Amino acid sequence: MPPHRYPLRAQVLDFAGSLGGFVICAGLLGFARPAAAVAWALGAAAALFLVYFGRTVCRQLTHIELDETGIRVRGPAAGLLSAVIRWENLRSMQLDYYSTRADREGGWMQLRLRDAQRTIRIDSGLNGFAAVVDRAARAAAERGLALDAATLGNLQALRP
Amino acid sequence: MLTYTLRRLLIMIPTLLVISFVTFSIIKLPPGDFLSNQIAELRSQGDKAALEKVEFLRKQYGLDKPFVEQYAAWIGIWPSEQGISGLLQGDWGWSFEHDLPVSAVVGDRMLLSFMLNFTVVLFTWVVAFPIGVYAATHQYSWGDHGLTLLGYVGLATPNFLFALVLMYFANVQFGLAIGGIMDPEYLDKAWSLAKFGSVLTHLWIPVIVIGTSGTAGMIRRLRANLLDELQKQYVVTARAKGMPAFRLLVKYPLRMSLNPFISDIGNMLPSVISGSAVVAVVLSLQTSGPMLLDALRSQDQYLAGSFLMFLAMLTVIGMFISDLLLAALDPRIRLTGGAAK
């Protein structure tokens, strides 16, 4: 099975948002000489946006492999951001939906898989996200894991 | 959740910018400004020294500059006569009516407003939660009917009227004057334990007055949502399997019915803040409400603008917290007509 990747077009908003947020906050911090309380708030926001940008870059360089034995995340930084979860060791599966809009439309899903040591988080921007979720759900069912109401509802929404 | 928090945070920046622009535009909408009214008055009196001061202030605060330049200087991203000095730099401007810096005029009022509004939200939750749960779990009992009636009375009574009735009864029946948010001797004094205690002893009246209608509405919504959940099949199944009633209630239905409770923080803040302004006038509270109304009437633009920005920030932060809690509590997709939304 070919590896799953985050296509650039799915990440464009994250790149633009994190960079834009950082530029605005750092720009105000550098040029507007704000009061101490405002400076702290802007500094914290700028740091958060920088982390977000870094995470988006890492995600862009990451690919996910899926087979009958487990799921592998191959990331940058000499494998620092890589992780493997074997289906037989799967401890929990959660599928959440988030939206920043008041009508809860236009949101995204996040799959969280855990074994005893690590957690893998995959966003719905990934190519073939539904197939990954499907395989994980099958593994969770085989292991007899209890899924919460939100995960069950979101799984149902993903099925054709 | 990190992605959600950051995306949500990112939305706050343009939101606050738009709010600041709209706020400034609304304040500037009426023709003229505070100083132009003053100039006309002083000209008729022939007061030359005062006229010079007014002209000096007009120049210093850039009131002779174009609108966009005034706005940029006000938020602190464009230099004015005294360099870059605006909201971002902690300079709230000059109150023309009080002839003092806005920070000196405002004093404790913003803190007191925050305390009042925060306590109202807390009161609403603390009172509405047990009553709503009781009303739903004891549907059509005497207690439910009584609380429903009280809820309707609370919803139907305007806050200011409730304040007037309470003031009348406190005065006539108990000889108490319940106006004000602290004893008069603490006004304009530095914060101390005694002052804080005085605020606490006075706070309960405005909190009850402002919080009653919100509490009543919240009780109705919690009752309706919990009743919906309690009639679902999973609850019936759990009951049939012998799950203890309290454990069953707390584990799922209560958690699901909490959504509107959380999402209401964001919706409640604007109504609490606008409601508290009117009640503050009736009860003579030293909060931001009465001063904001005066500042808007007299076109004291920097004073009014500072208040409005503070209240808007309070609301935006409240909405942010409410959205985060809601996302953590219920990360479910909504389905409409079988399609994922």
Side-chain angles (χ1 to χ4, degrees):
Chain A
M1 195 180 277
H4 302 276
R5 291 177 190 278
Y6 287 96
L8 188 60
R9 66 173 185 286
Q11 302 261 85
V12 165
L13 273 180
D14 286 342
F15 274 119
S18 54
L19 256 185
F22 177 74
V23 168
I24 292 172
C25 294
L28 286 174
L29 201 60
F31 296 107
R33 283 175 284 123
V38 182
W40 276 105
L42 285 173
L48 273 173
F49 286 122
L50 201 61
V51 170
Y52 188 35
F53 180 74
R55 218 189 70 147
T56 311
V57 171
C58 287
R59 183 168 284 179
Q60 187 60 43
L61 301 171
T62 298
H63 66 267
I64 289 161
E65 294 165 6
L66 201 65
D67 61 26
E68 283 309 306
T69 58
I71 181 167
R72 277 167 207 81
V73 179
R74 307 265 188 224
L80 199 69
L81 298 170
S82 302
V84 182
I85 290 181
R86 295 179 68 81
W87 297 131
E88 65 204 42
N89 297 332
L90 186 67
R91 286 246 177 122
S92 81
M93 172 191 163
Q94 204 160 337
L95 184 63
D96 294 337
Y97 175 81
Y98 300 105
S99 169
T100 50
R101 285 168 53 171
D103 58 7
R104 310 259 301 174
E105 283 189 49
W108 68 97
M109 283 195 182
Q110 188 184 59
L111 174 70
R112 264 186 297 169
L113 300 171
R114 280 196 192 124
D115 68 1
Q117 281 107 34
R118 58 191 74 73
T119 304
I120 290 178
R121 290 183 179 82
I122 302 167
D123 277 8
S124 52
L126 186 84
N127 265 339
F129 178 74
V132 176
V133 172
D134 199 47
R135 182 64 193 92
R138 198 144 48 88
E142 283 162 7
R143 299 258 306 134
L145 299 178
L147 303 179
D148 62 27
T151 301
L152 289 172
N154 294 336
L155 274 173
Q156 208 165 10
L158 262 189
R159 285 189 179 128
Chain B
M1 205 51 196
L2 174 73
T3 311
Y4 178 75
T5 308
L6 285 165
R7 284 189 185 176
R8 189 61 189 72
L9 201 64
L10 197 63
I11 293 170
M12 278 174 72
I13 298 173
T15 306
L16 280 172
L17 274 175
V18 169
I19 288 175
S20 68
F21 187 78
V22 171
T23 300
F24 197 74
S25 307
I26 289 171
I27 294 165
K28 298 291 284 181
L29 265 183
D33 53 45
F34 182 85
L35 293 178
S36 59
N37 297 337
Q38 287 289 302
I39 289 171
E41 205 173 298
L42 291 168
R43 269 204 186 118
S44 66
Q45 292 167 4
D47 188 343
K48 280 216 162 158
L51 262 175
E52 276 168 14
K53 188 182 177 190
V54 165
E55 279 305 327
F56 168 74
L57 282 175
R58 177 182 284 281
K59 213 164 189 181
Q60 191 181 20
Y61 285 96
L63 294 179
D64 50 347
K65 300 268 165 55
F67 170 82
V68 177
E69 204 176 320
Q70 282 188 48
Y71 165 72
W74 177 59
I75 59 169
I77 56 170
W78 194 261
S80 59
E81 287 291 314
Q82 58 268 55
I84 296 183
S85 180
L87 291 180
L88 282 172
Q89 289 76 27
D91 178 5
W92 297 0
W94 189 267
S95 165
F96 302 118
E97 193 174 12
H98 299 267
D99 207 11
L100 281 168
V102 168
S103 51
V105 176
V106 167
D108 293 337
R109 282 176 187 258
M110 285 198 186
L111 178 66
L112 288 169
S113 287
F114 174 77
M115 274 175 75
L116 176 64
N117 293 321
F118 180 74
T119 318
V120 168
V121 173
L122 214 63
F123 168 83
T124 306
W125 272 8
V126 169
V127 175
F129 185 72
I131 294 179
V133 172
Y134 176 85
T137 50
H138 296 76
Q139 194 186 13
Y140 303 137
S141 66
W142 278 104
D144 179 30
H145 284 308
L147 292 166
T148 302
L149 180 71
L150 264 179
Y152 283 136
V153 172
L155 271 175
T157 313
N159 288 347
F160 70 90
L161 185 66
F162 188 29
L164 287 172
V165 170
L166 219 60
M167 277 173 83
Y168 174 79
F169 273 105
N171 211 340
V172 170
Q173 299 294 323
F174 307 108
L176 288 172
I178 58 169
I181 202 161
M182 65 183 86
D183 292 319
E185 65 259 34
Y186 295 112
L187 287 175
D188 301 322
K189 294 270 165 63
W191 278 93
S192 61
L193 213 59
K195 182 173 176 173
F196 185 67
S198 173
V199 170
L200 284 187
T201 52
H202 282 74
L203 204 59
W204 65 276
I205 295 279
V207 164
I208 290 175
V209 169
I210 299 164
T212 303
S213 58
T215 307
M218 191 81 94
I219 290 171
R220 302 301 307 157
R221 278 192 296 281
L222 182 60
R223 180 182 180 275
N225 285 311
L226 194 51
L227 277 174
D228 271 353
E229 283 299 320
L230 287 173
Q231 280 153 18
K232 285 190 176 163
Q233 283 183 353
Y234 73 91
V235 178
V236 178
T237 309
R239 264 196 209 124
K241 286 193 165 194
M243 191 171 182
F246 182 73
R247 203 171 144 212
L248 168 63
L249 176 74
V250 173
K251 198 155 169 69
Y252 294 113
L254 194 57
R255 209 186 288 181
M256 290 297 136
S257 57
L258 274 181
N259 292 355
F261 224 65
I262 305 287
S263 63
D264 260 9
I265 312 173
N267 300 333
M268 257 167 65
L269 274 171
S271 62
V272 164
I273 288 166
S274 54
S276 66
V278 180
V279 172
V281 173
V282 175
L283 285 174
S284 311
L285 305 178
Q286 293 79 21
T287 55
S288 59
M291 197 174 256
L292 170 63
L293 292 178
D294 284 343
L296 287 171
R297 258 201 302 265
S298 63
Q299 285 186 267
D300 196 350
Q301 64 179 56
Y302 295 116
L303 183 59
S306 301
F307 275 129
L308 288 175
M309 269 314 289
F310 169 73
L311 299 179
M313 258 186 72
L314 208 64
T315 309
V316 169
I317 291 170
M319 292 283 236
F320 176 64
I321 294 170
S322 139
D323 282 354
L324 287 190
L325 289 174
L326 203 59
L329 192 75
D330 184 25
R332 271 183 308 177
I333 196 164
R334 302 288 184 264
L335 295 168
T336 315
K341 276 208 145 190

